Amino acid sequence: MQDKVFEFISYIITALSNCSLYSDSHPAVIYHAEKAVKVMDNLFVEDTISLAIIGSNMIFNDVPFAAKNILVSNLIKRLRRKGIEKIIFTKGVTAEELKGFIAEIAFSKRISGIYPHITSGIIEVNVKTDDGDIRAIMEINIAKVKEAYQEFSGDKKLDMLGLEDVVISLVSSLTREAGIFNIISPVKSYSEYTYAHAANVSVLSIFQAETLGIKGELLHDIGLAGLLHDFGKVFVSKEILEKKSKPSLEEWIEIKKHPVYGVMYLSRLSDVPNLALIAAFEHHMKYDSTGYPETNRRSKKQHIISQIIAISDFFDALRTERPYRQALDVPVIIGLLMEASGKDFNPILVESFLNSLSSVRQL
Ligand SMILES: [Fe+2]
Ligand SMILES: [Fe+2]
């Protein structure tokens, strides 16, 4: 039975991946949807089959599905990102119907519920447009980032599931909320800086990516890259990071190792997207290939995802007061960004970011 369930899940995730890569009319999507329906027919004991997601587990017909592999984890991740917590298939599902449902998971913001034999339970992400609510939601997100960062220790792995939830909430907040400035959070205390900064860089990067037309899985991966860009700082001593004066040369050398520390740790985890590894390593490299970490390939160009994260990082860091410098006003930061455009930052991305900011700016 487990084998058949696994086969069914494999066909669904393969159809879904092909659908995201090509289109819903690609032969591989149709082929795998047909196969899934055939296998499904053997799985009905009564009239329905249910697939539910609880945390990082898949529950098939109310029984936890024990096998854990990359395909199952991938399906869990994709359904969670869509807010789907349960799917119920009723006898009579056609390949055409399943294909339509899969295409909605791949491309639509919402699942329409027009399928006669497939129903899905959606977790509503509660985001209201009122200013107070969005602040409360960001507080929760920052607390979740803090929890994930703090609970991590030598033998306990980083809680990627908690961080996934933060990204889902940030994407949803940005969709429903008109102004990015309502979402990015002021830093209340210095000890909160790391977590608020991670959330702000994430939301600013999702904002930039959306204005470039990026959506779906890639958008979520960029959100995770934003949350994790400075994770390597966990391995730098607190005394250095929280020092009230400018760091000494030796301390500065240590701080500059955080991209390497970050990628060394994150690359050992199975569920961190490659983009997050790239951004963790490259976010202090610059558009003109200067910056750090220094590599022996000077001609190496910074990845576009790292370029996006670098702009968000710069923008948020300067907005925030630090022990050794004042917070800067947004118009001043915009001036600095323009000045560094073409040298430190990709000029096309800077232009796109500033255009989008000016259309939502509420100063
Ligand atoms: Fe950094
Ligand atoms: Fe940063």
Side-chain angles (χ1 to χ4, degrees):
M1 186 69 166
Q2 285 269 321
D3 286 355
K4 283 279 165 214
V5 177
F6 181 66
E7 215 182 326
F8 172 60
I9 290 170
S10 305
Y11 286 134
I12 289 193
I13 189 65
T14 313
L16 184 55
S17 303
N18 280 290
C19 193
S20 305
L21 272 176
Y22 309 111
S23 74
D24 59 342
S25 53
H26 192 277
V29 179
I30 299 162
Y31 173 81
H32 288 102
E34 282 170 355
K35 286 277 193 187
V37 166
K38 269 208 184 108
V39 178
M40 196 190 319
D41 281 343
N42 300 317
L43 293 173
F44 282 105
V45 180
E46 297 191 5
D47 282 350
T48 58
I49 287 174
S50 69
L51 262 188
I53 308 295
I54 298 177
S56 60
N57 297 307
M58 183 164 280
I59 316 290
F60 184 85
N61 281 348
D62 301 326
V63 180
F65 185 64
K68 280 242 166 151
N69 74 4
I70 193 123
L71 290 177
V72 179
S73 316
N74 198 339
L75 186 61
I76 292 173
K77 185 173 84 176
R78 278 170 170 253
L79 295 179
R80 289 185 92 246
R81 284 178 172 187
K82 270 277 156 355
I84 298 174
E85 60 177 1
K86 192 163 194 173
I87 307 174
I88 296 172
F89 300 96
T90 319
K91 263 189 179 169
V93 184
T94 63
E96 192 57 31
E97 205 179 327
L98 183 62
K99 193 192 79 174
F101 182 69
I102 284 171
E104 281 204 337
I105 298 177
F107 301 122
S108 303
K109 282 207 161 152
R110 295 195 147 262
I111 305 295
S112 62
I114 54 165
Y115 307 97
H117 304 97
I118 308 172
T119 51
S120 51
I122 309 285
I123 313 159
E124 277 299 323
V125 185
N126 186 21
V127 181
K128 293 182 186 152
T129 46
D130 173 74
D131 211 38
D133 287 327
I134 202 80
R135 283 267 162 273
I137 286 163
M138 277 311 274
E139 296 279 314
I140 294 169
N141 284 330
I142 291 166
K144 280 189 185 166
V145 175
K146 185 176 181 179
E147 212 179 291
Y149 269 55
Q150 286 191 334
E151 275 187 5
F152 144 84
S153 65
D155 50 348
K156 192 167 176 226
K157 279 210 257 161
L158 179 64
D159 173 22
M160 286 301 290
L161 210 62
L163 296 179
E164 274 274 347
D165 284 344
V166 173
V167 172
I168 291 166
S169 165
L170 295 179
V171 169
S172 173
S173 305
L174 209 49
T175 307
R176 302 186 202 187
E177 182 69 27
I180 178 85
F181 288 103
N182 292 333
I183 304 175
I184 45 179
S185 297
V187 176
K188 284 195 178 151
S189 66
Y190 186 69
S191 58
E192 296 294 300
Y193 173 74
T194 310
Y195 319 112
H197 175 65
N200 288 341
V201 168
S202 177
V203 79
L204 283 162
S205 303
I206 295 167
F207 173 74
Q208 287 189 68
E210 274 202 318
T211 62
L212 296 167
I214 295 172
K215 50 189 175 182
E217 294 298 298
L218 186 53
L219 193 68
H220 281 83
D221 285 351
I222 292 171
L224 275 177
L227 282 185
L228 291 170
H229 78 283
D230 270 340
F231 191 74
K233 286 193 178 169
V234 165
F235 303 97
V236 177
S237 90
K238 265 208 168 114
E239 291 82 76
I240 298 180
L241 291 175
E242 295 182 1
K243 217 179 139 185
K244 298 265 184 283
S245 54
K246 274 199 166 179
S248 68
L249 182 64
E250 270 175 11
E251 289 165 340
W252 187 231
I253 290 170
E254 180 61 11
I255 291 171
K256 281 168 80 175
K257 288 180 185 163
H258 77 270
V260 176
Y261 291 155
V263 81
M264 278 173 65
Y265 175 74
L266 295 172
S267 62
R268 294 207 302 264
L269 306 181
S270 57
D271 40 7
V272 176
N274 274 342
L275 288 183
L277 302 180
I278 293 168
F281 186 69
E282 291 186 353
H283 67 278
H284 289 290
M285 287 182 178
K286 294 181 173 168
Y287 180 66
D288 64 4
S289 299
T290 59
Y292 66 90
E294 284 181 26
T295 66
N296 51 11
R297 288 165 60 210
R298 261 289 158 234
S299 59
K300 185 184 184 302
K301 275 278 171 204
Q302 196 186 19
H303 191 288
I304 189 153
I305 297 305
S306 312
Q307 294 174 350
I308 290 175
I309 303 276
I311 292 173
S312 307
D313 193 22
F314 180 83
F315 189 87
D316 187 64
L318 294 184
R319 273 178 67 245
T320 311
E321 190 184 321
R322 302 303 301 272
Y324 48 85
R325 88 168 145 64
Q326 291 279 302
L328 299 181
D329 290 334
V330 170
V332 178
I333 304 173
I334 288 175
L336 292 172
L337 251 182
M338 286 163 83
E339 224 170 83
S341 176
K343 292 180 294 202
D344 296 352
F345 306 113
N346 181 331
I348 297 168
L349 294 181
V350 171
E351 198 188 328
S352 157
F353 179 51
L354 296 184
N355 282 341
S356 324
L357 273 190
S358 63
S359 60
V360 295
R361 206 156 129 208
Q362 300 160 356
L363 294 174

